[in-house]
Amino acid sequence: MRAPLSWLREYVDLPASETGRDVAARLIAAGLEVETVEQTGAGLKGPLVVGQVLAIEELTEFKKPIRYCQVDVGRGADDPQNLICGATNFAVGDKVVVVLPGAVLPGGFEISARKTYGRVSEGMICSERELGMGEDHGGIMVLPPEHEVGTDAIELLELVDEVLDIAVTPDRGYCLSMRGLARETATAYGVPLRDPALLDVPVPNAHGYPVKVTEPLGCDRFTARTVSGLRPEAQSPIWLKRRLQKAGMRPVSLPVDITNYVMLELGQPLHAYDRSRIEGPIGVRRAESGEKLVTLDGTKRVLDAGDLVITDDRGPIGLAGVMGGANTEIADASAEAADGPVSGTTDVVIEAAHFDSVSVARTARRHKLSSEASRRFERGVDPEAAAAAAQRTVDLLVLLAGGTAEPGVTEITTPSGPRTLRIPADHPDRVAGVSYGRETVVRRLQQVGCDVYGDAGQDEQLTVTVPSWRPDLTDPNDLAEEVVRLEGYENLPSTLPRPLPGRGLTERQRLHRRVGRALAGAGYVEAPSYPFVGEAAFDALGLEAGDPRRRTVQLVNPLSDEEPGLRTTLLPGLLATLRRNDGRGSHDLALFETGLVFLPTGSETAAERLPVAQRPTDEQLAGLDAALPEQPRHVAVVLAGARERAGWWGKGRPADWADAIEAARTVAAEAGVELTVESASFAPWHPGRCAALHVQLEGSRVLVGHAGELHPRVLKALGLPERSCAMELDLDLVERAATGQVQGPHVSTFPVATQDVALVVDASVPAAEVESALRAGAGELLESLRLFDVFTGEQLGAGRKSLAYALRFRAPDRTLKAEEASAARDAAVAEAVERTGAVLRGA
């Protein structure tokens, strides 16, 4: 909402010294979002005067039309101002805006007398764009003939002003009007408000234009007034046009400009119908599915059964609260049809109605048709303002267009009482943690517009009647918020919340944090992504048609039609981030993400829509849980480029499948779980460079994820770097496999004893299985175990491989003897021989 300060001063007596920024600061303190304060006419300097064209000489020797004009600027016809102009939309006798030498136009454009096109131009005749009034540069601005020659054009056109641009939040619909903003300003300054809606409105009678409302839930109030005898040639006065322009609206014609002006002034959207183009009474009903309507923007729309429409005997003539129809549009006398001038509208019917906000919002979104009217109805319009807005429109049409207000007044209302709330007098105190006191609470609520009743007492309850323009005040907390914001958020004390003893992060939350810190410490960067996927992502990953990951939870209202489902794997989002960063020049990448995936089981039940007035029962909550898919938390990493960069310290190393597996081990170590790694074939990984990751859970081995190098076809489909790698783990399963709380390592001060061992096993035996056997056999003296060599060759035989391990032994309380370290080594080898059939190499 754009609010000119000069317009705001009509309703509020602001101090003369107050600037737009001062007012903005007060409104921001009251909870409004003032985005900018625009200075119109900034840098403008006179003289700018009203001039009258006395003579025009056409200069024909140039390629484009050039006119040499004599203009009276207030010095008399005997001493005209000579001006060069290239516009042709004015004639002798017209009143125009003349900028004289010495003036400065917006943008720092200085005006001086200069020779051009062979003549001396002593100034300039201006268009709206040159004066900073709008973007119209198609011709000269022609003023109405009643303005005196020599009048100061800066004051006449209100060129110097300040405009507050306010982002109105959905709960403050009343601030989409000068009336609402003036009320907030008056409250902020503690001065009275001159309410523009306080008008003498005639009582309804049976002589008004016939209206029939068959959908009272969609339209609870409809006021119709008729004005006849309008002068078709009447144009909007300058003050009206300027206020519309400053508010961000384009002047169209006098009747339309008046309805827009009243909407901005009072917040009540209106519509004016050409009475001669309406057939029969006006009706309000739901549309029949398939009905058609051409709206004012020239678009032919197919209506839905949920649309609320305005009708006459022919059918729909407007979308209620959104946009009128073209078949009853006000005709502008200045328009020209192909066969000549169009006769302007002389009789109009004014509609001021109150429509259901939900119905208007759905219609506007269904037809992708957001309008100034729909924006206001969606956020809540004062239903009591309809009659005043209609009267204000009638008064302006009579005053500016010479019309006659017909005595008939139609007003159809659905009976409803004001909203009344009960609130303890100290409720705002308890909400804010500040002692405001009863008098302050009552005073602030009355400033909002509430009627407050209640007797003083220890347990006093206030009875608060909410004003009609505040539909957002629905419970005691809303009233408390009004008191707090008007008293000033900046006056609230800063206090830290006090957690209850014994509360804090759960073990699951701690694990998630440890995993994130461990991966970040290993050089990975967290890259959260949107949880939405489409079939194209699964095709690129090479998932077969029956792959369970293709079965997704489908969204009713997806952000994108190309991604209508919830993700079943973290890889599409991470790989898209990898591709985007690689395309921007970052080629050495290591990214990770932890997040939920959504796995429908097919056994989900239909969710029950629960009431909001009471807490759901345990059975209802259980029913909601049964309607949800499985939502395990996964962790995934992707790598590309160099894992270790080259430098003066030595050669670098590219990322490979082993780094992806090591990332999985890092995650498992944070849960205190040991991973078993074995070769596998699973999309989207390379069949020969894919590892299946298992843990021991409840006595059995459970698959928890995969890691390795991605398939070349996947890399090509997604546009990823060569040899890109990835890992994905089910973090919830890893957590369940944890045997207890993770213990920090104990660091011994005694020396370490290192023993190496090389074992020959079948090629099918996983190295992790050999490692597990060595750990079990070595006992408590084993500090660490590391695989440092894998060898295959003819001397070992076909289908055999050699695994070389470095074993570190250390005792916490003494220096180990060589015999103790050797005994532990021999025990580890014996266990590996028994479990895996290993043979000590060289034995």
Side-chain angles (χ1 to χ4, degrees):
M1 175 70 187
R2 291 171 56 84
L5 185 60
S6 60
W7 194 356
L8 200 60
R9 289 182 182 274
E10 278 198 9
Y11 314 123
V12 184
D13 287 327
L14 296 174
S17 60
E18 288 293 280
T19 66
R21 295 193 179 278
D22 296 332
V23 176
R26 295 288 188 105
L27 294 179
I28 290 172
L32 294 178
E33 298 181 17
V34 182
E35 294 188 331
T36 61
V37 178
E38 178 185 333
Q39 302 280 339
T40 64
L44 181 64
K45 178 183 176 183
L48 277 78
V49 297
V50 175
Q52 185 173 21
V53 180
L54 301 177
I56 299 175
E57 179 184 353
E58 304 287 348
L59 304 182
T60 59
E61 62 268 27
F62 302 102
K63 293 183 178 179
K64 60 180 181 180
I66 299 297
R67 309 172 107 189
Y68 188 55
C69 309
Q70 287 76 47
V71 182
D72 180 7
V73 295
R75 299 196 297 257
D78 297 332
D79 188 14
Q81 201 82 3
N82 298 311
L83 303 167
I84 291 289
C85 184
T88 59
N89 66 312
F90 62 97
V92 173
D94 283 346
K95 300 287 181 65
V96 294
V97 178
V98 178
V99 186
L100 300 176
V104 179
L105 291 180
F109 183 52
E110 298 182 1
I111 303 299
S112 61
R114 62 191 183 93
K115 188 173 183 179
T116 179
Y117 295 102
R119 310 291 175 96
V120 175
S121 181
E122 302 169 332
M124 177 178 175
I125 306 177
C126 291
S127 66
E128 289 188 1
R129 181 178 174 184
E130 290 161 343
L131 294 173
M133 297 172 56
E135 294 301 318
D136 186 4
H137 196 54
I140 291 303
M141 180 180 181
V142 179
L143 300 175
E146 62 267 19
H147 298 295
E148 293 292 333
V149 172
T151 301
D152 184 357
I154 296 179
E155 182 178 350
L156 174 66
L157 301 177
E158 301 177 11
L159 296 178
V160 179
D161 202 351
E162 294 179 275
V163 180
L164 284 67
D165 193 350
I166 301 171
V168 179
T169 52
D171 61 329
R172 298 288 176 84
Y174 67 97
C175 286
L176 287 171
S177 68
M178 295 302 301
R179 181 195 184 200
L181 292 176
R183 180 177 288 107
E184 290 293 327
T185 305
T187 301
Y189 280 89
V191 297
L193 167 70
R194 290 188 290 274
D195 192 345
L198 295 180
L199 301 173
D200 292 330
V201 179
V203 297
N205 54 56
H207 308 296
Y209 198 91
V211 175
K212 183 178 181 182
V213 177
T214 59
E215 184 62 30
L217 294 180
C219 176
D220 58 5
R221 187 179 297 264
F222 195 108
T223 300
R225 300 288 300 275
T226 304
V227 180
S228 60
L230 302 181
R231 299 196 312 272
E233 71 281 1
Q235 296 183 6
S236 300
I238 290 177
W239 65 265
L240 178 58
K241 288 183 178 181
R242 290 296 294 136
R243 288 190 171 178
L244 291 177
Q245 288 171 336
K246 292 176 187 178
M249 302 190 75
R250 181 177 60 87
V252 179
S253 63
L254 180 56
V256 175
D257 292 348
I258 288 175
T259 56
N260 286 336
Y261 177 83
V262 175
M263 178 185 68
L264 292 173
E265 183 180 51
L266 302 181
Q268 168 67 53
L270 302 107
H271 192 72
Y273 300 94
D274 188 329
R275 184 174 182 177
S276 65
R277 303 175 74 176
I278 303 177
E279 296 183 8
I282 294 175
V284 182
R285 62 169 171 83
R286 296 289 176 182
E288 296 178 4
S289 183
E291 280 189 302
K292 295 180 175 58
L293 170 68
V294 179
T295 48
L296 287 173
D297 59 358
T299 302
K300 186 175 183 179
R301 303 183 185 277
V302 179
L303 304 182
D304 184 88
D307 294 334
L308 194 66
V309 293
I310 312 298
T311 65
D312 65 2
D313 287 346
R314 296 167 297 178
I317 60 174
L319 281 174
V322 181
M323 186 174 285
N327 54 349
T328 56
E329 181 181 9
I330 296 291
D332 187 0
S334 62
E336 289 189 2
D339 54 349
V342 177
S343 59
T345 297
T346 58
D347 299 340
V348 298
V349 177
I350 305 300
E351 165 211 306
H354 184 260
F355 300 112
D356 175 58
S357 59
V358 174
S359 177
V360 171
R362 288 176 176 172
T363 297
R365 283 157 179 73
R366 188 180 296 119
H367 294 281
K368 296 181 175 59
L369 185 60
S370 179
S371 64
E372 291 291 336
S374 68
R375 286 181 60 216
R376 285 164 173 79
F377 279 121
E378 288 174 20
R379 289 161 174 78
V381 169
D382 181 7
E384 301 293 335
Q391 182 62 44
R392 177 68 164 146
T393 305
V394 170
D395 292 343
L396 289 174
L397 285 172
V398 171
L399 176 66
L400 302 178
T404 301
E406 297 192 2
V409 178
T410 302
E411 186 168 337
I412 298 176
T413 60
T414 300
S416 62
R419 182 185 298 111
T420 300
L421 302 175
R422 296 276 291 172
I423 174 176
D426 63 345
H427 184 66
D429 300 2
R430 290 186 281 112
V431 169
V434 177
S435 180
Y436 293 123
R438 178 187 184 278
E439 291 185 1
T440 298
V441 171
V442 172
R443 175 171 56 85
R444 288 304 190 184
L445 292 178
Q446 288 175 340
Q447 287 178 334
V448 170
C450 299
D451 291 329
V452 186
Y453 308 94
D455 297 327
Q458 184 177 1
D459 299 325
E460 179 187 2
Q461 293 281 326
L462 298 177
T463 301
V464 181
T465 302
V466 177
S468 58
W469 59 83
R470 292 302 301 271
D472 58 303
L473 302 181
T474 59
D475 60 60
N477 284 335
D478 294 330
L479 300 178
E481 181 186 358
E482 293 300 298
V483 174
V484 174
R485 77 175 179 88
L486 293 179
E487 283 296 302
Y489 291 118
E490 69 278 6
N491 297 323
L492 294 179
S494 298
T495 56
L496 293 175
R498 298 178 181 177
L500 296 175
R503 299 293 179 89
L505 297 178
T506 65
E507 286 299 323
R508 186 170 188 257
Q509 291 169 329
R510 289 193 181 99
L511 174 60
H512 297 164
R513 291 196 177 188
R514 289 201 307 272
V515 167
R517 285 194 294 264
L519 289 174
Y524 291 85
V525 176
E526 187 172 12
S529 57
Y530 287 114
F532 309 122
V533 294
E535 288 296 321
F538 296 137
D539 294 339
L541 292 179
L543 305 189
E544 296 182 357
D547 194 301
R549 288 171 290 179
R550 282 187 175 270
R551 189 168 65 247
T552 61
V553 177
Q554 295 293 304
L555 300 173
V556 176
N557 55 342
L559 295 179
S560 170
D561 293 337
E562 297 177 356
E563 295 178 330
L566 292 175
R567 66 188 177 191
T568 55
T569 168
L570 300 181
L571 292 182
L574 267 180
L575 293 175
T577 304
L578 181 74
R579 179 184 65 245
R580 184 164 54 252
N581 283 273
D582 180 73
R584 293 175 179 175
S586 299
H587 303 301
D588 302 328
L589 296 164
L591 310 175
F592 84 94
E593 179 180 5
T594 61
L596 299 180
V597 297
F598 307 87
L599 308 176
T601 62
S603 60
E604 292 84 5
T605 60
E608 177 186 359
R609 187 178 294 274
L610 302 181
V612 297
Q614 61 187 16
R615 183 188 184 280
T617 64
D618 293 340
E619 292 76 12
Q620 289 173 326
L621 291 175
L624 291 179
D625 288 338
L628 297 175
E630 291 185 5
Q631 301 179 57
R633 182 173 291 272
H634 281 200
V635 57
V637 305
V638 293
L639 303 102
R643 187 70 180 114
E644 297 176 4
R645 293 187 178 183
W648 58 266
W649 52 84
K651 294 183 178 180
R653 180 179 67 82
D656 61 15
W657 57 269
D659 294 303
I661 296 175
E662 185 61 28
R665 293 186 187 277
T666 300
V667 172
E670 293 300 319
V673 175
E674 184 178 348
L675 284 180
T676 302
V677 182
E678 63 180 31
S679 179
S681 178
F682 191 72
W685 284 273
H686 192 297
R689 302 189 181 101
C690 174
L693 310 173
H694 298 82
V695 297
Q696 289 294 322
L697 179 60
E698 298 176 354
S700 60
R701 197 173 70 157
V702 177
L703 178 68
V704 293
H706 293 83
E709 183 180 313
L710 294 173
H711 199 289
R713 285 198 295 268
V714 174
L715 302 180
K716 183 177 180 180
L718 292 175
L720 300 174
E722 294 182 357
R723 312 303 290 269
S724 294
C725 303
M727 177 278 292
E728 184 168 11
L729 275 180
D730 187 326
L731 195 53
D732 286 352
L733 285 179
V734 172
E735 180 191 5
R736 287 172 53 194
T739 56
Q741 192 170 15
V742 177
Q743 298 292 332
H746 174 74
V747 179
S748 174
T749 59
F750 295 93
V752 67
T754 303
Q755 297 274 349
D756 292 345
V757 60
L759 300 174
V760 179
V761 296
D762 288 339
S764 61
V765 176
E769 187 175 338
V770 177
E771 179 180 327
S772 177
L774 290 172
R775 288 184 184 277
E780 296 181 355
L781 294 179
L782 181 66
E783 182 180 80
S784 65
L785 175 68
R786 180 174 63 88
L787 176 66
F788 67 85
D789 184 59
V790 178
F791 174 75
T792 58
E794 295 180 359
Q795 58 270 45
L796 297 179
R800 305 282 283 175
K801 63 182 177 182
S802 172
L803 304 175
Y805 292 90
L807 288 73
R808 290 166 57 92
F809 298 98
R810 193 187 327 239
D813 56 351
R814 68 189 187 280
T815 299
L816 286 178
K817 296 180 181 180
E819 294 81 5
E820 291 179 293
S822 297
R825 169 186 178 276
D826 293 343
V829 171
E831 185 68 20
V833 170
E834 181 179 349
R835 287 194 186 184
T836 65
V839 176
L840 189 62
R841 186 174 176 186

